[in-house]
Amino acid sequence: MFMSWWKKAVVYQVYPKSFNDTTGSGVGDLAGITEKLDYLKELGITVIWLSPVYESPGDDNGYDISDYEQIDPAFGTMEDMEQLIAEAKKRGIYIVMDLVVNHTSDEHEWFEEAKSSRDNPYRDYYIWRDPVDGGVPNDLQSTFGGSAWEYSEETGQYYLHLFSKKQPDLNWENPAMRQDVYQMMNFWLDKGIGGFRLDVIDLIGKQPDQLVTADGPKLHDYLQEMNEATFGHQDVLTVGETWSATVQNAKQYSNPDGSELSMVFQFEHILLDQQDDGEKWDLKPLNLVDLKRTLAKWQTELGDEGWNSLFWNNHDTPRIVSRWGNDEEYRQESAKLFAILLHLMKGTPYIYQGEEIGMTNYEMASLDDIYDIESINMYHERLAAGYSEADILTSINAKGRDHARTPMQWHGDQAHAGFTVGQPWIPVNDNFTGINVAQNLAEKNSVFATYQQLIQYRKDHDIVVKGDFQLLYPDHPAVFAYKRQWQDDAFVVLANVSEEEQTVAVAELSLNDVIINNYDELTVRDGQLTLEPYQAIAITID
Ligand code: TEU
């Protein structure tokens, strides 16, 4: 049976600003990515998801685009981009661009035109409303704090911004705007890119007057139209960022008939360590049983009616080893455990830069250490609302987006971890002397080696891509275990997500050959398997 290439792919996300600087500017660049392609090839990945490199004033690190068809000079030139695409292709790697079309920058020409007068042809590219009772049109809130409406003096109306006020929302009801977006997408497809990651795509069908943001009534119509006008005719990978995705609508997004997207990112597991009715800043310890149930639900219920994306990390989340592992005593063990758990599931795995060497969160001691707009806005908002600074910092240290954005740690014996010869735009994590690429490459049992082995195993064994999934010991509070089965092949993954030794009965499993083990030993006695702290193993079974 024909199988889309992206079902076998492993994707690596590059956040260009923090990856590799070749000019000494303190900001990573495109040439820096090209320089590291051999490293990525050695890891084994076949796709790079490139966070935005388009021209941008940088209010939200490139997620505020002022020109979709230009490269931001901080990252290089269009020639650098073309070279990256070509050099990657030589190594069997596709470049997936980040498509941010829910909003633009307020410095985009469309917005500059739109705000200039009510009858400007670009006015309806954005969403404008009259004041109500001399104030905002309604209670819609921005993800980055405060009202989602900003008053525009020139024309006496408010415009909508679901993110920062420098990120006005595009009006998808406007067919002319949609055609311009499709044209821009084709401009990039013509350059030979491998697809798109579609930023907050579940918001484009919004109905602001009804306070509807995600999953608006025309969302899927727009996606089908976009598909038809652009990537639908090409063999590319498309992945939607959909915070609101449910198994049900994920089947529609990733329908195997190809009418919408290849797959979506669902975030149900990412939301498990926050209070039910709170924001991400309202912390709650992770309950492992919930995590197992959530991921197992996505594994089994999408079935053959859709396709999963698998991830622990991206540029908006804290580092997994610090978040749900132990980044001190068991850093390597827990980093490998999360790799093993994720990479042997069904779906397309995504690795976020630095995850493959077990990079950790860093400590933010005051506002001076915080760079991200979301955290900064929240800090001021909560301080004004009466929260203590200590509480605010606890939340930011747990969940802030800067953790993912500290520079990639290449070398332990070079200034700024070899990321730049200049002053990095955000400090390098102090622990780079012990956690870096050079040391990972030199060590046989490194975190990197584990990722490499898992990626290779997926390439060599159809069972990883195609096999059925079954959760084992669903109620065990510390052991995350599952079985995969494809035709005559089967294996189990058994992982102890805790600092205490755990024992599970395995007599019925008839364990065979070890596929991977993050410890040297494997202890089975009288049908009981003992798992050391953060031990994770995969074993074939009869
Ligand atoms: O993220 C969507 C989004 O909603 C995030 O702001 C998210 O809620 C938050 O970071 C959770 O911690 C996308 C991009 O991934 C993000 O980097 C952008 O800031 C945002 O869209 C706006 O484009």
Side-chain angles (χ1 to χ4, degrees), residues 459-480:
K459 285 182 184 163
D460 295 341
H461 297 85
D462 275 357
I463 181 174
V464 185
V465 180
K466 299 179 181 167
D468 290 336
F469 176 100
Q470 188 196 343
L471 189 66
L472 303 176
Y473 318 107
D475 300 318
H476 197 295
V479 173
F480 193 153

Side-chain angles (χ1 to χ4, degrees), residues 77-95:
T77 62
M78 190 58 85
E79 286 69 49
D80 293 331
M81 184 66 213
E82 285 161 358
Q83 195 183 1
L84 172 62
I85 296 169
E87 288 298 319
K89 203 165 275 173
K90 279 187 202 162
R91 293 162 177 83
I93 297 173
Y94 292 104
I95 304 290

Side-chain angles (χ1 to χ4, degrees), residues 124-195:
D124 289 337
Y125 274 44
Y126 297 88
I127 299 168
W128 302 92
R129 294 290 182 271
D130 286 325
V132 170
D133 300 330
V136 291
N138 63 35
D139 287 339
L140 269 183
Q141 296 294 301
S142 151
T143 303
F144 294 160
S147 170
W149 296 101
E150 180 72 11
Y151 189 65
S152 183
E153 291 287 343
E154 286 97 325
T155 54
Q157 281 189 313
Y158 285 86
Y159 66 86
L160 181 74
H161 61 91
L162 293 178
F163 294 91
S164 100
K165 63 181 180 205
K166 286 186 65 62
Q167 292 168 299
D169 278 55
L170 285 166
N171 174 19
W172 276 77
E173 306 250 324
N174 180 346
M177 189 290 292
R178 300 205 300 273
Q179 291 308 320
D180 272 353
V181 166
Y182 304 153
Q183 212 175 347
M184 172 276 284
M185 292 171 70
N186 285 325
F187 166 88
W188 284 104
L189 287 166
D190 289 346
K191 290 200 181 287
I193 62 164

Side-chain angles (χ1 to χ4, degrees), residues 150-427:
E150 180 72 11
Y151 189 65
S152 183
E153 291 287 343
E154 286 97 325
T155 54
Q157 281 189 313
Y158 285 86
Y159 66 86
L160 181 74
H161 61 91
L162 293 178
F163 294 91
S164 100
K165 63 181 180 205
K166 286 186 65 62
Q167 292 168 299
D169 278 55
L170 285 166
N171 174 19
W172 276 77
E173 306 250 324
N174 180 346
M177 189 290 292
R178 300 205 300 273
Q179 291 308 320
D180 272 353
V181 166
Y182 304 153
Q183 212 175 347
M184 172 276 284
M185 292 171 70
N186 285 325
F187 166 88
W188 284 104
L189 287 166
D190 289 346
K191 290 200 181 287
I193 62 164
F196 295 106
R197 175 263 185 188
L198 298 89
D199 193 62
V200 288
I201 203 66
D202 54 349
L203 302 182
I204 64 172
K206 68 189 70 88
Q207 301 227 300
D209 303 312
Q210 284 69 47
L211 307 181
V212 171
T213 53
D215 301 323
K218 295 207 198 120
L219 166 63
H220 294 277
D221 292 345
Y222 296 149
L223 279 174
Q224 286 160 22
E225 180 188 83
M226 173 193 285
N227 173 300
E228 188 56 34
T230 65
F231 51 75
H233 305 287
Q234 307 201 23
D235 192 14
V236 295
L237 182 162
T238 50
V239 52
E241 186 205 21
T242 53
W243 283 80
S244 65
T246 60
V247 169
Q248 221 37 52
N249 64 28
K251 287 181 183 173
Q252 190 173 0
Y253 283 121
S254 65
N255 189 327
D257 73 3
S259 56
E260 295 191 13
L261 305 173
S262 314
M263 59 191 112
V264 290
F265 292 121
Q266 65 81 17
F267 289 84
E268 256 187 85
H269 62 306
I270 294 298
L271 303 175
L272 291 174
D273 57 1
Q274 70 187 46
Q275 299 292 335
D276 293 341
D277 51 357
E279 303 181 34
K280 73 178 202 179
W281 309 115
D282 300 322
L283 310 178
K284 175 174 114 177
L286 176 73
N287 176 339
L288 187 75
V289 174
D290 289 345
L291 178 67
K292 299 197 299 185
R293 281 210 190 105
T294 303
L295 291 177
K297 177 182 79 181
W298 280 87
Q299 287 287 298
T300 54
E301 292 185 13
L302 266 191
D304 294 324
E305 296 171 74
W307 190 250
N308 272 300
S309 333
L310 309 170
F311 74 100
W312 296 125
N313 273 114
N314 64 34
H315 64 292
D316 294 330
T317 63
R319 298 277 178 183
I320 192 62
V321 59
S322 304
R323 184 179 195 168
W324 294 338
N326 177 327
D327 63 6
E328 288 172 0
E329 199 179 346
Y330 299 109
R331 185 186 64 84
Q332 301 222 30
E333 290 83 353
S334 58
K336 291 173 185 173
L337 170 142
F338 284 107
I340 293 169
L341 272 176
L342 195 85
H343 283 254
L344 294 175
M345 286 188 189
K346 186 171 184 173
T348 300
Y350 288 72
I351 300 168
Y352 179 71
Q353 68 184 41
E355 181 185 334
E356 79 282 13
I357 57 167
M359 275 177 63
T360 67
N361 286 352
Y362 78 119
E363 185 69 24
M364 290 172 265
S366 75
L367 186 58
D368 290 344
D369 299 331
I370 303 172
Y371 292 77
D372 177 38
I373 182 172
E374 183 187 49
S375 297
I376 293 172
N377 288 357
M378 176 286 245
Y379 181 98
H380 293 302
E381 207 169 79
R382 289 208 162 180
L383 208 57
Y387 288 75
S388 73
E389 192 191 20
D391 277 353
I392 296 171
L393 286 171
T394 299
S395 291
I396 295 178
N397 275 306
K399 293 286 190 66
R401 305 198 298 182
D402 287 319
H403 291 305
R405 302 175 181 188
T406 63
M408 184 69 184
Q409 295 166 201
W410 296 104
H411 294 280
D413 56 1
Q414 293 180 14
H416 308 303
F419 161 69
T420 179
V421 294
Q423 264 312 310
W425 71 274
I426 185 173

